Amino acid sequence: MQTIRWKSPSNIALIKYWGKHGVQLPSNPSISFTLNGSHTTTTLSYTAGKAKVELLFNGGQNDKFALRAKQYIASLGPYLPFLKELDLHINSENNFPHSVGIASSASAMSSLALCLCSLEKEIIGTKLSKSDFLEKASFMARLGSGSASRSVYGGYVSWGKSQYIPESSDEWATPLSFEVHENFRELQDTILIVDERPKAIGSSEGHRLMEKHPYAQQRFEQAHVHIATLLKALKAGDENTFIRIVENEALGLHSLMMSSDPGYILLKPGSLQIIEKIRNFREKTGIPVSFTLDAGPNVHLLYPAPDKEAVQDFINRELLVYCMQKRRIDDHIGKGPEKLSSGE
Ligand code: DP6
């Protein structure tokens, strides 16, 4: 048995991907940054065989994940035809719990896609440059989960065609090509865990509800404008504009959920309390803290590295009371996936 292993982090979107069409194509471009500490390690072992796929999640059975990953691998026949002559054994291990406001599909699917691209290299002997390898991995990750396409790269990453990002594509993600201002280079992200129970409505259903959403077109157009504004802010180090756009995107995402048919609410009273406290703290101290939200109740508190001490103190004093068992995860912007081993 040969083994390939990749560790890939999750990411958090600043401009949200919400709505898709065709084969996993986004209805609007998005921008995220890749996290550092919250990741999935996927170990892929293979032998000659007949396309049997065995899957473990954190060392045990997980029917939902196994079904999704098996369907994903089965759909890759046109790109990786050699898969039908192999048996695969996959172990996917997250170092963070499920449903804590960290997209596990982004890290799980990107690390699996990276393993499959390394497998292609080993089996076929394909020789790709590093950037072509990552582009292919991002493409393959996108087929598994849209947000996973962005996790193939570290730092700030965009996915989806935007006129403001010449190299952008709907097919794969690309890292932002300019140097982000130092104000945003070491962005911190503390995830405040308000509720970690499984959500009533998952992202797949949320994307589907955008197909007939009355505000869909305006939303997709707004995302393009937000991309342009956020890019300028990231270049110039404009913290006020960053905060305005990022918070607007987070609240906008949840208002799209509320105005879907049927409408639904994923925010909890604690999420709203935290948002209010964050805004008050910003006003009072002038420290440029902001928040963003995933498709769930947990709040991502974003802040610059030099303000870490003051913000940590604020979290301990004012925010943890709204968190389930006072739980939070301290993370920050990271460098992207890492290949861990390959061999017998
Ligand atoms: C709110 O990438 O989880 O996190 O493509 O169906 O796997 P699928 O959806 P997914 O959606 C992510 C939605 C989001 C915003 C974002 O990450 O851009």
mmCIF file of all heavy atoms in Angstrom, residues 191-239:
data_model
loop_
_atom_site.group_PDB
_atom_site.id
_atom_site.type_symbol
_atom_site.label_atom_id
_atom_site.label_comp_id
_atom_site.label_asym_id
_atom_site.label_seq_id
_atom_site.Cartn_x
_atom_site.Cartn_y
_atom_site.Cartn_z
ATOM 1 N N ILE A 191 -12.855 32.587 16.823
ATOM 2 C CA ILE A 191 -14.191 32.085 16.509
ATOM 3 C C ILE A 191 -14.921 31.860 17.834
ATOM 4 O O ILE A 191 -14.482 31.060 18.675
ATOM 5 C CB ILE A 191 -14.102 30.790 15.676
ATOM 6 C CG1 ILE A 191 -13.272 31.078 14.417
ATOM 7 C CG2 ILE A 191 -15.485 30.278 15.303
ATOM 8 C CD1 ILE A 191 -12.354 29.980 14.022
ATOM 9 N N LEU A 192 -15.984 32.609 18.014
ATOM 10 C CA LEU A 192 -16.753 32.569 19.262
ATOM 11 C C LEU A 192 -17.887 31.568 19.081
ATOM 12 O O LEU A 192 -18.774 31.764 18.239
ATOM 13 C CB LEU A 192 -17.272 33.974 19.583
ATOM 14 C CG LEU A 192 -16.112 34.968 19.743
ATOM 15 C CD1 LEU A 192 -16.561 36.381 19.428
ATOM 16 C CD2 LEU A 192 -15.503 34.875 21.134
ATOM 17 N N ILE A 193 -17.822 30.489 19.835
ATOM 18 C CA ILE A 193 -18.742 29.376 19.596
ATOM 19 C C ILE A 193 -20.019 29.552 20.413
ATOM 20 O O ILE A 193 -20.088 29.175 21.577
ATOM 21 C CB ILE A 193 -18.037 28.046 19.873
ATOM 22 C CG1 ILE A 193 -16.797 28.016 18.967
ATOM 23 C CG2 ILE A 193 -18.948 26.864 19.589
ATOM 24 C CD1 ILE A 193 -15.872 26.912 19.161
ATOM 25 N N VAL A 194 -21.001 30.136 19.759
ATOM 26 C CA VAL A 194 -22.280 30.421 20.410
ATOM 27 C C VAL A 194 -23.100 29.129 20.506
ATOM 28 O O VAL A 194 -23.790 28.887 21.497
ATOM 29 C CB VAL A 194 -23.045 31.497 19.599
ATOM 30 C CG1 VAL A 194 -24.424 31.736 20.167
ATOM 31 C CG2 VAL A 194 -22.243 32.794 19.553
ATOM 32 N N ASP A 195 -23.012 28.327 19.474
ATOM 33 C CA ASP A 195 -23.792 27.086 19.436
ATOM 34 C C ASP A 195 -23.125 26.136 18.458
ATOM 35 O O ASP A 195 -22.861 26.521 17.315
ATOM 36 C CB ASP A 195 -25.220 27.398 18.957
ATOM 37 C CG ASP A 195 -26.188 26.296 19.316
ATOM 38 O OD1 ASP A 195 -25.751 25.136 19.399
ATOM 39 O OD2 ASP A 195 -27.376 26.599 19.510
ATOM 40 N N GLU A 196 -22.851 24.931 18.907
ATOM 41 C CA GLU A 196 -22.195 24.009 17.980
ATOM 42 C C GLU A 196 -23.076 22.824 17.606
ATOM 43 O O GLU A 196 -22.610 21.839 17.057
ATOM 44 C CB GLU A 196 -20.845 23.545 18.529
ATOM 45 C CG GLU A 196 -20.923 22.788 19.809
ATOM 46 C CD GLU A 196 -19.558 22.226 20.222
ATOM 47 O OE1 GLU A 196 -18.619 22.263 19.421
ATOM 48 O OE2 GLU A 196 -19.458 21.759 21.356
ATOM 49 N N ARG A 197 -24.369 22.966 17.899
ATOM 50 C CA ARG A 197 -25.262 21.884 17.481
ATOM 51 C C ARG A 197 -25.466 21.962 15.972
ATOM 52 O O ARG A 197 -25.361 23.047 15.390
ATOM 53 C CB ARG A 197 -26.610 22.006 18.212
ATOM 54 C CG ARG A 197 -26.480 21.595 19.667
ATOM 55 C CD ARG A 197 -27.694 21.947 20.442
ATOM 56 N NE ARG A 197 -27.892 23.383 20.501
ATOM 57 C CZ ARG A 197 -28.819 23.985 21.223
ATOM 58 N NH1 ARG A 197 -29.654 23.283 21.940
ATOM 59 N NH2 ARG A 197 -28.929 25.295 21.233
ATOM 60 N N PRO A 198 -25.753 20.827 15.321
ATOM 61 C CA PRO A 198 -25.932 20.853 13.861
ATOM 62 C C PRO A 198 -26.999 21.868 13.456
ATOM 63 O O PRO A 198 -27.989 22.054 14.166
ATOM 64 C CB PRO A 198 -26.383 19.427 13.539
ATOM 65 C CG PRO A 198 -25.946 18.606 14.697
ATOM 66 C CD PRO A 198 -25.916 19.501 15.895
ATOM 67 N N LYS A 199 -26.766 22.531 12.316
ATOM 68 C CA LYS A 199 -27.693 23.569 11.862
ATOM 69 C C LYS A 199 -28.947 22.954 11.252
ATOM 70 O O LYS A 199 -28.892 21.866 10.689
ATOM 71 C CB LYS A 199 -27.015 24.416 10.788
ATOM 72 C CG LYS A 199 -25.862 25.210 11.320
ATOM 73 C CD LYS A 199 -25.111 25.900 10.216
ATOM 74 C CE LYS A 199 -24.259 24.923 9.434
ATOM 75 N NZ LYS A 199 -23.320 25.576 8.524
ATOM 76 N N ALA A 200 -30.061 23.679 11.371
ATOM 77 C CA ALA A 200 -31.331 23.179 10.845
ATOM 78 C C ALA A 200 -31.267 23.098 9.318
ATOM 79 O O ALA A 200 -31.832 22.186 8.706
ATOM 80 C CB ALA A 200 -32.462 24.109 11.274
ATOM 81 N N ILE A 201 -30.598 24.053 8.694
ATOM 82 C CA ILE A 201 -30.505 24.075 7.226
ATOM 83 C C ILE A 201 -29.040 24.231 6.844
ATOM 84 O O ILE A 201 -28.377 25.187 7.260
ATOM 85 C CB ILE A 201 -31.344 25.241 6.649
ATOM 86 C CG1 ILE A 201 -32.804 25.031 7.044
ATOM 87 C CG2 ILE A 201 -31.156 25.380 5.141
ATOM 88 C CD1 ILE A 201 -33.834 25.569 6.120
ATOM 89 N N GLY A 202 -28.542 23.311 6.049
ATOM 90 C CA GLY A 202 -27.125 23.332 5.674
ATOM 91 C C GLY A 202 -26.860 24.240 4.478
ATOM 92 O O GLY A 202 -27.796 24.766 3.857
ATOM 93 N N SER A 203 -25.571 24.388 4.122
ATOM 94 C CA SER A 203 -25.198 25.282 3.031
ATOM 95 C C SER A 203 -25.773 24.841 1.678
ATOM 96 O O SER A 203 -26.164 25.674 0.872
ATOM 97 C CB SER A 203 -23.682 25.382 2.909
ATOM 98 O OG SER A 203 -23.185 26.133 3.972
ATOM 99 N N SER A 204 -25.820 23.532 1.433
ATOM 100 C CA SER A 204 -26.313 23.062 0.118
ATOM 101 C C SER A 204 -27.730 23.561 -0.108
ATOM 102 O O SER A 204 -28.068 24.054 -1.193
ATOM 103 C CB SER A 204 -26.330 21.537 0.044
ATOM 104 O OG SER A 204 -25.093 21.059 0.434
ATOM 105 N N GLU A 205 -28.551 23.436 0.934
ATOM 106 C CA GLU A 205 -29.940 23.893 0.827
ATOM 107 C C GLU A 205 -29.977 25.417 0.682
ATOM 108 O O GLU A 205 -30.759 25.963 -0.090
ATOM 109 C CB GLU A 205 -30.702 23.428 2.083
ATOM 110 C CG GLU A 205 -32.168 23.800 2.146
ATOM 111 C CD GLU A 205 -33.009 23.181 1.033
ATOM 112 O OE1 GLU A 205 -32.494 22.401 0.221
ATOM 113 O OE2 GLU A 205 -34.208 23.538 0.969
ATOM 114 N N GLY A 206 -29.115 26.112 1.403
ATOM 115 C CA GLY A 206 -29.041 27.577 1.314
ATOM 116 C C GLY A 206 -28.694 28.034 -0.097
ATOM 117 O O GLY A 206 -29.321 28.952 -0.636
ATOM 118 N N HIS A 207 -27.703 27.376 -0.720
ATOM 119 C CA HIS A 207 -27.343 27.716 -2.107
ATOM 120 C C HIS A 207 -28.541 27.477 -3.018
ATOM 121 O O HIS A 207 -28.828 28.270 -3.911
ATOM 122 C CB HIS A 207 -26.184 26.835 -2.590
ATOM 123 C CG HIS A 207 -24.847 27.201 -2.013
ATOM 124 N ND1 HIS A 207 -24.214 28.391 -2.295
ATOM 125 C CD2 HIS A 207 -24.006 26.528 -1.192
ATOM 126 C CE1 HIS A 207 -23.036 28.419 -1.666
ATOM 127 N NE2 HIS A 207 -22.899 27.315 -0.972
ATOM 128 N N ARG A 208 -29.242 26.372 -2.788
ATOM 129 C CA ARG A 208 -30.385 26.018 -3.643
ATOM 130 C C ARG A 208 -31.489 27.067 -3.537
ATOM 131 O O ARG A 208 -32.101 27.438 -4.537
ATOM 132 C CB ARG A 208 -30.918 24.625 -3.243
ATOM 133 C CG ARG A 208 -31.680 23.933 -4.349
ATOM 134 C CD ARG A 208 -32.324 22.648 -3.868
ATOM 135 N NE ARG A 208 -33.237 22.832 -2.736
ATOM 136 C CZ ARG A 208 -34.452 23.364 -2.811
ATOM 137 N NH1 ARG A 208 -34.940 23.744 -3.972
ATOM 138 N NH2 ARG A 208 -35.198 23.513 -1.714
ATOM 139 N N LEU A 209 -31.701 27.559 -2.319
ATOM 140 C CA LEU A 209 -32.758 28.562 -2.126
ATOM 141 C C LEU A 209 -32.435 29.871 -2.843
ATOM 142 O O LEU A 209 -33.334 30.679 -3.098
ATOM 143 C CB LEU A 209 -32.992 28.803 -0.633
ATOM 144 C CG LEU A 209 -33.712 27.661 0.094
ATOM 145 C CD1 LEU A 209 -33.657 27.852 1.611
ATOM 146 C CD2 LEU A 209 -35.172 27.556 -0.367
ATOM 147 N N MET A 210 -31.168 30.100 -3.184
ATOM 148 C CA MET A 210 -30.809 31.318 -3.926
ATOM 149 C C MET A 210 -31.306 31.259 -5.380
ATOM 150 O O MET A 210 -31.416 32.291 -6.038
ATOM 151 C CB MET A 210 -29.291 31.538 -3.913
ATOM 152 C CG MET A 210 -28.753 32.084 -2.610
ATOM 153 S SD MET A 210 -29.544 33.634 -2.111
ATOM 154 C CE MET A 210 -28.745 34.806 -3.205
ATOM 155 N N GLU A 211 -31.592 30.041 -5.867
ATOM 156 C CA GLU A 211 -32.012 29.919 -7.271
ATOM 157 C C GLU A 211 -33.294 30.695 -7.542
ATOM 158 O O GLU A 211 -33.464 31.256 -8.611
ATOM 159 C CB GLU A 211 -32.209 28.438 -7.653
ATOM 160 C CG GLU A 211 -30.878 27.707 -7.787
ATOM 161 C CD GLU A 211 -31.034 26.193 -7.848
ATOM 162 O OE1 GLU A 211 -32.143 25.704 -8.155
ATOM 163 O OE2 GLU A 211 -30.025 25.511 -7.559
ATOM 164 N N LYS A 212 -34.195 30.709 -6.553
ATOM 165 C CA LYS A 212 -35.466 31.428 -6.780
ATOM 166 C C LYS A 212 -35.593 32.602 -5.830
ATOM 167 O O LYS A 212 -36.701 33.057 -5.529
ATOM 168 C CB LYS A 212 -36.635 30.463 -6.574
ATOM 169 C CG LYS A 212 -36.671 29.397 -7.628
ATOM 170 C CD LYS A 212 -38.049 28.778 -7.755
ATOM 171 C CE LYS A 212 -38.042 27.802 -8.910
ATOM 172 N NZ LYS A 212 -38.475 26.471 -8.556
ATOM 173 N N HIS A 213 -34.473 33.089 -5.333
ATOM 174 C CA HIS A 213 -34.519 34.159 -4.343
ATOM 175 C C HIS A 213 -34.897 35.485 -5.007
ATOM 176 O O HIS A 213 -34.320 35.852 -6.037
ATOM 177 C CB HIS A 213 -33.166 34.276 -3.645
ATOM 178 C CG HIS A 213 -33.221 35.000 -2.342
ATOM 179 N ND1 HIS A 213 -33.479 36.350 -2.274
ATOM 180 C CD2 HIS A 213 -33.078 34.572 -1.068
ATOM 181 C CE1 HIS A 213 -33.480 36.716 -0.993
ATOM 182 N NE2 HIS A 213 -33.248 35.647 -0.243
ATOM 183 N N PRO A 214 -35.848 36.231 -4.421
ATOM 184 C CA PRO A 214 -36.275 37.476 -5.086
ATOM 185 C C PRO A 214 -35.159 38.526 -5.179
ATOM 186 O O PRO A 214 -35.218 39.390 -6.045
ATOM 187 C CB PRO A 214 -37.418 37.974 -4.194
ATOM 188 C CG PRO A 214 -37.258 37.278 -2.882
ATOM 189 C CD PRO A 214 -36.611 35.963 -3.199
ATOM 190 N N TYR A 215 -34.155 38.456 -4.299
ATOM 191 C CA TYR A 215 -33.097 39.476 -4.330
ATOM 192 C C TYR A 215 -31.800 38.962 -4.964
ATOM 193 O O TYR A 215 -30.751 39.610 -4.851
ATOM 194 C CB TYR A 215 -32.777 39.965 -2.905
ATOM 195 C CG TYR A 215 -33.979 40.425 -2.121
ATOM 196 C CD1 TYR A 215 -34.032 40.265 -0.734
ATOM 197 C CD2 TYR A 215 -35.070 41.025 -2.751
ATOM 198 C CE1 TYR A 215 -35.138 40.678 0.005
ATOM 199 C CE2 TYR A 215 -36.179 41.436 -2.018
ATOM 200 C CZ TYR A 215 -36.209 41.261 -0.656
ATOM 201 O OH TYR A 215 -37.294 41.667 0.077
ATOM 202 N N ALA A 216 -31.868 37.773 -5.583
ATOM 203 C CA ALA A 216 -30.626 37.129 -6.049
ATOM 204 C C ALA A 216 -29.817 38.038 -6.979
ATOM 205 O O ALA A 216 -28.618 38.227 -6.770
ATOM 206 C CB ALA A 216 -30.944 35.808 -6.733
ATOM 207 N N GLN A 217 -30.450 38.599 -7.986
ATOM 208 C CA GLN A 217 -29.679 39.379 -8.977
ATOM 209 C C GLN A 217 -28.975 40.563 -8.336
ATOM 210 O O GLN A 217 -27.797 40.806 -8.584
ATOM 211 C CB GLN A 217 -30.582 39.858 -10.135
ATOM 212 C CG GLN A 217 -30.810 38.784 -11.196
ATOM 213 C CD GLN A 217 -29.585 37.893 -11.461
ATOM 214 O OE1 GLN A 217 -28.473 38.366 -11.692
ATOM 215 N NE2 GLN A 217 -29.776 36.581 -11.387
ATOM 216 N N GLN A 218 -29.717 41.290 -7.493
ATOM 217 C CA GLN A 218 -29.091 42.446 -6.809
ATOM 218 C C GLN A 218 -27.919 41.973 -5.956
ATOM 219 O O GLN A 218 -26.891 42.632 -5.885
ATOM 220 C CB GLN A 218 -30.089 43.181 -5.895
ATOM 221 C CG GLN A 218 -31.170 43.931 -6.636
ATOM 222 C CD GLN A 218 -32.422 43.083 -6.778
ATOM 223 O OE1 GLN A 218 -32.365 41.872 -7.048
ATOM 224 N NE2 GLN A 218 -33.572 43.697 -6.595
ATOM 225 N N ARG A 219 -28.099 40.855 -5.294
ATOM 226 C CA ARG A 219 -27.036 40.337 -4.445
ATOM 227 C C ARG A 219 -25.782 40.014 -5.275
ATOM 228 O O ARG A 219 -24.670 40.373 -4.900
ATOM 229 C CB ARG A 219 -27.514 39.085 -3.693
ATOM 230 C CG ARG A 219 -26.400 38.192 -3.228
ATOM 231 C CD ARG A 219 -25.435 38.922 -2.279
ATOM 232 N NE ARG A 219 -24.185 38.201 -2.090
ATOM 233 C CZ ARG A 219 -23.041 38.771 -1.699
ATOM 234 N NH1 ARG A 219 -22.978 40.060 -1.452
ATOM 235 N NH2 ARG A 219 -21.968 38.044 -1.557
ATOM 236 N N PHE A 220 -25.973 39.328 -6.403
ATOM 237 C CA PHE A 220 -24.810 38.938 -7.200
ATOM 238 C C PHE A 220 -24.083 40.193 -7.707
ATOM 239 O O PHE A 220 -22.848 40.251 -7.712
ATOM 240 C CB PHE A 220 -25.213 38.014 -8.357
ATOM 241 C CG PHE A 220 -25.896 36.738 -7.888
ATOM 242 C CD1 PHE A 220 -26.898 36.127 -8.643
ATOM 243 C CD2 PHE A 220 -25.539 36.142 -6.682
ATOM 244 C CE1 PHE A 220 -27.523 34.965 -8.212
ATOM 245 C CE2 PHE A 220 -26.158 34.974 -6.232
ATOM 246 C CZ PHE A 220 -27.157 34.394 -6.995
ATOM 247 N N GLU A 221 -24.864 41.201 -8.103
ATOM 248 C CA GLU A 221 -24.226 42.454 -8.561
ATOM 249 C C GLU A 221 -23.483 43.138 -7.417
ATOM 250 O O GLU A 221 -22.389 43.662 -7.576
ATOM 251 C CB GLU A 221 -25.285 43.406 -9.129
ATOM 252 C CG GLU A 221 -25.733 42.978 -10.518
ATOM 253 C CD GLU A 221 -27.066 43.607 -10.928
ATOM 254 O OE1 GLU A 221 -27.388 44.713 -10.422
ATOM 255 O OE2 GLU A 221 -27.783 42.978 -11.734
ATOM 256 N N GLN A 222 -24.117 43.127 -6.240
ATOM 257 C CA GLN A 222 -23.491 43.756 -5.063
ATOM 258 C C GLN A 222 -22.132 43.111 -4.755
ATOM 259 O O GLN A 222 -21.169 43.793 -4.400
ATOM 260 C CB GLN A 222 -24.420 43.574 -3.851
ATOM 261 C CG GLN A 222 -23.858 44.142 -2.560
ATOM 262 C CD GLN A 222 -24.595 43.596 -1.337
ATOM 263 O OE1 GLN A 222 -24.821 42.393 -1.220
ATOM 264 N NE2 GLN A 222 -24.989 44.492 -0.456
ATOM 265 N N ALA A 223 -22.057 41.793 -4.911
ATOM 266 C CA ALA A 223 -20.794 41.098 -4.593
ATOM 267 C C ALA A 223 -19.666 41.628 -5.475
ATOM 268 O O ALA A 223 -18.535 41.806 -5.009
ATOM 269 C CB ALA A 223 -20.963 39.590 -4.771
ATOM 270 N N HIS A 224 -19.965 41.899 -6.752
ATOM 271 C CA HIS A 224 -18.925 42.439 -7.649
ATOM 272 C C HIS A 224 -18.440 43.797 -7.149
ATOM 273 O O HIS A 224 -17.246 44.066 -7.132
ATOM 274 C CB HIS A 224 -19.467 42.556 -9.078
ATOM 275 C CG HIS A 224 -19.566 41.226 -9.765
ATOM 276 N ND1 HIS A 224 -18.546 40.715 -10.539
ATOM 277 C CD2 HIS A 224 -20.548 40.289 -9.772
ATOM 278 C CE1 HIS A 224 -18.905 39.519 -10.994
ATOM 279 N NE2 HIS A 224 -20.122 39.240 -10.542
ATOM 280 N N VAL A 225 -19.379 44.638 -6.758
ATOM 281 C CA VAL A 225 -19.011 45.970 -6.268
ATOM 282 C C VAL A 225 -18.194 45.837 -4.971
ATOM 283 O O VAL A 225 -17.178 46.500 -4.789
ATOM 284 C CB VAL A 225 -20.294 46.820 -6.027
ATOM 285 C CG1 VAL A 225 -19.939 48.190 -5.474
ATOM 286 C CG2 VAL A 225 -21.093 46.950 -7.328
ATOM 287 N N HIS A 226 -18.647 44.945 -4.105
ATOM 288 C CA HIS A 226 -17.928 44.734 -2.839
ATOM 289 C C HIS A 226 -16.507 44.231 -3.077
ATOM 290 O O HIS A 226 -15.588 44.576 -2.336
ATOM 291 C CB HIS A 226 -18.697 43.744 -1.947
ATOM 292 C CG HIS A 226 -19.823 44.404 -1.200
ATOM 293 N ND1 HIS A 226 -20.668 43.710 -0.381
ATOM 294 C CD2 HIS A 226 -20.220 45.706 -1.141
ATOM 295 C CE1 HIS A 226 -21.547 44.550 0.148
ATOM 296 N NE2 HIS A 226 -21.302 45.760 -0.307
ATOM 297 N N ILE A 227 -16.337 43.406 -4.097
ATOM 298 C CA ILE A 227 -14.982 42.900 -4.420
ATOM 299 C C ILE A 227 -14.085 44.098 -4.742
ATOM 300 O O ILE A 227 -12.980 44.225 -4.203
ATOM 301 C CB ILE A 227 -15.033 41.935 -5.633
ATOM 302 C CG1 ILE A 227 -15.739 40.636 -5.268
ATOM 303 C CG2 ILE A 227 -13.619 41.705 -6.216
ATOM 304 C CD1 ILE A 227 -14.888 39.462 -4.915
ATOM 305 N N ALA A 228 -14.570 44.973 -5.607
ATOM 306 C CA ALA A 228 -13.753 46.134 -6.017
ATOM 307 C C ALA A 228 -13.382 46.971 -4.797
ATOM 308 O O ALA A 228 -12.224 47.378 -4.627
ATOM 309 C CB ALA A 228 -14.529 46.975 -7.033
ATOM 310 N N THR A 229 -14.345 47.211 -3.938
ATOM 311 C CA THR A 229 -14.097 48.072 -2.774
ATOM 312 C C THR A 229 -13.153 47.395 -1.785
ATOM 313 O O THR A 229 -12.236 48.033 -1.250
ATOM 314 C CB THR A 229 -15.439 48.413 -2.069
ATOM 315 O OG1 THR A 229 -16.387 48.753 -3.070
ATOM 316 C CG2 THR A 229 -15.291 49.555 -1.105
ATOM 317 N N LEU A 230 -13.354 46.114 -1.561
ATOM 318 C CA LEU A 230 -12.492 45.411 -0.602
ATOM 319 C C LEU A 230 -11.049 45.324 -1.116
ATOM 320 O O LEU A 230 -10.095 45.487 -0.341
ATOM 321 C CB LEU A 230 -13.039 44.007 -0.304
ATOM 322 C CG LEU A 230 -12.242 43.242 0.758
ATOM 323 C CD1 LEU A 230 -12.403 43.887 2.146
ATOM 324 C CD2 LEU A 230 -12.653 41.773 0.849
ATOM 325 N N LEU A 231 -10.895 45.087 -2.403
ATOM 326 C CA LEU A 231 -9.529 45.011 -2.958
ATOM 327 C C LEU A 231 -8.788 46.322 -2.705
ATOM 328 O O LEU A 231 -7.634 46.316 -2.281
ATOM 329 C CB LEU A 231 -9.575 44.722 -4.465
ATOM 330 C CG LEU A 231 -10.011 43.305 -4.867
ATOM 331 C CD1 LEU A 231 -10.134 43.206 -6.385
ATOM 332 C CD2 LEU A 231 -9.030 42.250 -4.352
ATOM 333 N N LYS A 232 -9.474 47.426 -2.953
ATOM 334 C CA LYS A 232 -8.840 48.745 -2.737
ATOM 335 C C LYS A 232 -8.457 48.903 -1.277
ATOM 336 O O LYS A 232 -7.377 49.382 -0.942
ATOM 337 C CB LYS A 232 -9.834 49.862 -3.104
ATOM 338 C CG LYS A 232 -9.716 50.298 -4.543
ATOM 339 C CD LYS A 232 -10.418 51.654 -4.695
ATOM 340 C CE LYS A 232 -11.082 51.716 -6.055
ATOM 341 N NZ LYS A 232 -12.330 52.437 -6.082
ATOM 342 N N ALA A 233 -9.356 48.506 -0.379
ATOM 343 C CA ALA A 233 -9.090 48.643 1.056
ATOM 344 C C ALA A 233 -7.907 47.765 1.481
ATOM 345 O O ALA A 233 -7.073 48.183 2.278
ATOM 346 C CB ALA A 233 -10.347 48.268 1.852
ATOM 347 N N LEU A 234 -7.842 46.559 0.930
ATOM 348 C CA LEU A 234 -6.744 45.643 1.290
ATOM 349 C C LEU A 234 -5.400 46.193 0.817
ATOM 350 O O LEU A 234 -4.378 46.019 1.470
ATOM 351 C CB LEU A 234 -6.977 44.255 0.679
ATOM 352 C CG LEU A 234 -8.081 43.400 1.323
ATOM 353 C CD1 LEU A 234 -8.336 42.133 0.497
ATOM 354 C CD2 LEU A 234 -7.718 42.995 2.762
ATOM 355 N N LYS A 235 -5.417 46.857 -0.339
ATOM 356 C CA LYS A 235 -4.174 47.451 -0.860
ATOM 357 C C LYS A 235 -3.750 48.649 -0.038
ATOM 358 O O LYS A 235 -2.586 48.828 0.303
ATOM 359 C CB LYS A 235 -4.406 47.944 -2.296
ATOM 360 C CG LYS A 235 -4.072 46.931 -3.338
ATOM 361 C CD LYS A 235 -4.181 47.531 -4.732
ATOM 362 C CE LYS A 235 -4.433 46.380 -5.679
ATOM 363 N NZ LYS A 235 -5.122 46.723 -6.896
ATOM 364 N N ALA A 236 -4.743 49.504 0.291
ATOM 365 C CA ALA A 236 -4.430 50.792 0.913
ATOM 366 C C ALA A 236 -4.310 50.704 2.437
ATOM 367 O O ALA A 236 -3.874 51.643 3.080
ATOM 368 C CB ALA A 236 -5.517 51.798 0.532
ATOM 369 N N GLY A 237 -4.744 49.587 3.016
ATOM 370 C CA GLY A 237 -4.731 49.466 4.481
ATOM 371 C C GLY A 237 -5.899 50.229 5.112
ATOM 372 O O GLY A 237 -5.823 50.641 6.278
ATOM 373 N N ASP A 238 -6.976 50.394 4.349
ATOM 374 C CA ASP A 238 -8.132 51.183 4.794
ATOM 375 C C ASP A 238 -9.041 50.319 5.700
ATOM 376 O O ASP A 238 -9.910 49.583 5.227
ATOM 377 C CB ASP A 238 -8.871 51.661 3.539
ATOM 378 C CG ASP A 238 -10.111 52.458 3.853
ATOM 379 O OD1 ASP A 238 -10.543 52.499 5.018
ATOM 380 O OD2 ASP A 238 -10.670 53.039 2.897
ATOM 381 N N GLU A 239 -8.827 50.468 7.000
ATOM 382 C CA GLU A 239 -9.541 49.601 7.950
ATOM 383 C C GLU A 239 -11.031 49.900 8.018
ATOM 384 O O GLU A 239 -11.848 48.990 8.164
ATOM 385 C CB GLU A 239 -8.898 49.713 9.339
ATOM 386 C CG GLU A 239 -7.580 48.954 9.376
ATOM 387 C CD GLU A 239 -6.689 49.317 10.537
ATOM 388 O OE1 GLU A 239 -6.733 50.481 10.986
ATOM 389 O OE2 GLU A 239 -5.937 48.438 10.980
#
